[in-house]
């Protein structure tokens, strides 16, 4: 394999640039031509493709976002769009494609794989919602961003003796809320995977206040089943405590990637080139028990992520 492409798709995540850098430089070291595809699958269909050299990816390791830009594409979801994308790869002579993105992006790669394109998927998403890997690129940075916000919000919450609801991302997977809630000392965490008990949450806040607790922090994943505004109003009504809402939104996607995300991105990028060099079938690369692992792409996407119930229960124990 002498000519490969790399693209980033879906929501951006810290560490995507580190992965692009690793793919480009490792590919060139193996004697390959490496082409950057801009704006994900939309850019692929539009032919936004150019060859990258080592200098193209200089000074990007520490930067958040993605130099290749990203986009969501409705057109690519169609048979016509996928055929067009495959034809564009053939036009440029690109024999293998590295896709960096989340579940939707890797499923797009699987669609191309069914059309005979060798696709290697890297787990680039802050949500940590891919079942085949322990961690995804960007998750660690996002959680650390949330932790920093919790620390600052706690100061104000304590000063005003109020409850603060902090909304974090997590439409289908509650890992950001779960990890940040445990490490940030939250009194309650609401996630999509576990049914909410608002009565128990409000009771805990009231009992804490009766013991002299000056504030409470509640973390609500956006897909928990209750809107953050409704949750805030309910808590204030039932507890009688001043309750405020903070929505972190896209703040969680930005920032320089942490050590863990840089390492994961770099090692999976290098593994992607190794697999393409060996003419491997389409694969998804991730980490299992600290080791880089590769799975059949389609099989990997069928694996479901299970919530760590013991971690969730521990939050309840520690916040009593």
């Amino acid at each position: 394999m002498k000519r490969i492409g790399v693209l980033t798709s879906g929501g951006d995540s810290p560490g995507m640039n580190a992965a692009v850098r690793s793919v480009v430089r490792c590919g060139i070291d193996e004697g390959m031509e490496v082409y950057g595809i801009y704006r994900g699958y939309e850019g692929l269909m539009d032919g936004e493709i150019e060859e990258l050299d080592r200098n193209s990816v200089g000074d990007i390791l520490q930067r958040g976002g993605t130099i290749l830009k990203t986009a969501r594409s409705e057109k690519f979801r169609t048979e016509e769009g996928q055929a067009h994308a495959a034809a564009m790869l053939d036009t440029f002579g690109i024999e293998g494609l590295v896709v960096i993105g989340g579940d939707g992006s890797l499923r797009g790669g699987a669609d191309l794989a069914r059309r005979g394109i060798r696709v290697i998927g890297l787990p680039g998403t802050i949500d940590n919602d891919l079942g085949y890997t322990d961690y995804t690129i960007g998750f660690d940075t996002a959680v650390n961003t949330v932790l920093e916000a919790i620390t600052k919000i706690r100061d104000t919450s304590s000063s005003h003796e109020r409850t603060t609801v902090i909304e974090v991302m997590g439409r289908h997977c509650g890992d950001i809320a779960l990890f940040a809630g445990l490490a940030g000392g939250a009194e309650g965490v609401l996630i999509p995977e576990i049914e909410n008990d608002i009565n128990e949450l409000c009771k805990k806040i009231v009992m804490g206040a009766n013991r002299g607790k000056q504030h409470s922090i509640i973390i609500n994943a956006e897909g928990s089943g209750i809107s953050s505004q409704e949750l805030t109003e309910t808590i204030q009504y039932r507890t009688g405590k001043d309750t405020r809402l903070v929505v972190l939104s896209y703040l969680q996607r930005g920032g320089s990637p942490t050590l863990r995300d840089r390492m994961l991105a770099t090692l999976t990028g290098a593994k992607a080139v190794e697999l393409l060099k060996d003419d491997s079938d389409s694969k998804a690369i991730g980490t299992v028990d600290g080791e880089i692992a590769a799975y059949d792409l389609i099989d990997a996407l069928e694996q479901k992520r299970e919530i760590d119930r013991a971690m969730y229960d521990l939050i309840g124990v520690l916040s009593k």
Side-chain angles (χ1 to χ4, degrees), residues 48-64:
E48 296 186 53
I49 303 170
E50 70 174 15
E51 186 174 1
L52 303 176
D53 58 24
R54 296 182 67 87
N55 291 334
S56 302
V57 292
D59 197 31
I60 68 170
L61 178 68
Q62 75 284 2
R63 291 166 54 186

Side-chain angles (χ1 to χ4, degrees), residues 239-314:
T239 66
K241 303 296 181 183
D242 182 24
T243 306
R244 302 296 176 89
L245 169 62
V246 176
V247 181
L248 297 182
S249 189
Y250 291 108
L251 179 69
Q252 297 158 84
R253 291 196 184 279
S256 181
T258 59
L259 166 65
R260 174 175 282 181
D261 280 332
R262 295 186 198 195
M263 291 294 292
L264 179 58
T266 299
L267 294 174
T268 54
K271 183 66 173 180
V273 171
E274 176 188 325
L275 292 172
L276 289 173
K277 179 192 70 172
D278 294 339
D279 289 332
S280 168
D281 293 334
S282 294
K283 301 287 187 183
I285 305 175
T287 177
V288 178
D289 296 329
E291 300 292 328
I292 301 299
Y295 297 90
D296 175 84
L297 177 58
I298 295 174
D299 289 346
L301 292 172
E302 296 306 313
Q303 296 188 38
K304 302 300 182 183
R305 185 162 193 83
E306 300 294 334
I307 196 70
D308 189 333
R309 184 63 194 236
M311 185 182 295
Y312 179 84
D313 291 340
L314 181 57

Side-chain angles (χ1 to χ4, degrees), residues 134-151:
D134 290 339
Y135 296 105
T136 58
I137 299 167
F139 171 69
D140 189 65
T141 307
V143 170
N144 276 282
T145 297
V146 174
L147 279 176
E148 183 179 0
I150 290 173
T151 300

Side-chain angles (χ1 to χ4, degrees), residues 54-235:
R54 296 182 67 87
N55 291 334
S56 302
V57 292
D59 197 31
I60 68 170
L61 178 68
Q62 75 284 2
R63 291 166 54 186
T66 164
I67 63 164
L68 294 179
K69 312 302 181 186
T70 185
R72 303 184 192 277
S73 176
E74 290 300 320
K75 181 181 177 182
F76 181 75
R77 295 175 183 271
T78 67
E79 290 289 328
E80 178 186 3
Q82 293 161 19
H84 187 183
M88 190 64 74
L89 290 170
D90 186 57
T91 298
F92 277 79
I94 294 174
E95 304 164 272
L97 180 65
V98 179
V99 174
I100 307 167
D103 182 76
S105 301
L106 299 195
R107 290 188 185 279
D111 290 331
L112 290 177
R114 294 185 182 96
R115 294 176 178 273
I117 309 297
R118 287 194 179 95
V119 176
I120 306 296
L122 304 192
T125 169
I126 67 169
D127 289 335
N128 208 41
D129 59 350
L130 294 170
Y132 75 89
T133 180
D134 290 339
Y135 296 105
T136 58
I137 299 167
F139 171 69
D140 189 65
T141 307
V143 170
N144 276 282
T145 297
V146 174
L147 279 176
E148 183 179 0
I150 290 173
T151 300
K152 293 179 178 179
I153 291 167
R154 188 184 298 280
D155 291 341
T156 294
S157 293
S158 178
S159 297
H160 291 269
E161 299 180 283
R162 66 167 57 126
T163 297
T164 303
V165 174
I166 303 176
E167 180 183 288
V168 301
M169 288 183 172
R171 191 166 299 155
H172 304 293
C173 175
D175 273 11
I176 292 178
L178 184 64
F179 280 68
L182 179 61
E187 279 67 41
V189 173
L190 287 74
I191 56 179
E193 297 90 339
I194 297 176
E195 186 176 355
N196 303 318
D197 189 339
I198 304 301
N199 286 336
E200 184 63 30
L201 177 62
C202 292
K203 177 182 175 183
K204 180 185 291 186
I205 293 171
V206 171
M207 291 178 65
N210 291 341
R211 296 196 311 271
K213 192 172 183 61
Q214 295 182 338
H215 68 277
S216 294
I217 299 291
I218 310 300
I219 310 298
N220 188 36
E222 61 183 336
S224 69
I226 182 172
S227 75
S228 295
Q229 185 61 47
E230 180 184 353
L231 176 62
T232 302
E233 293 171 357
T234 300
I235 290 174

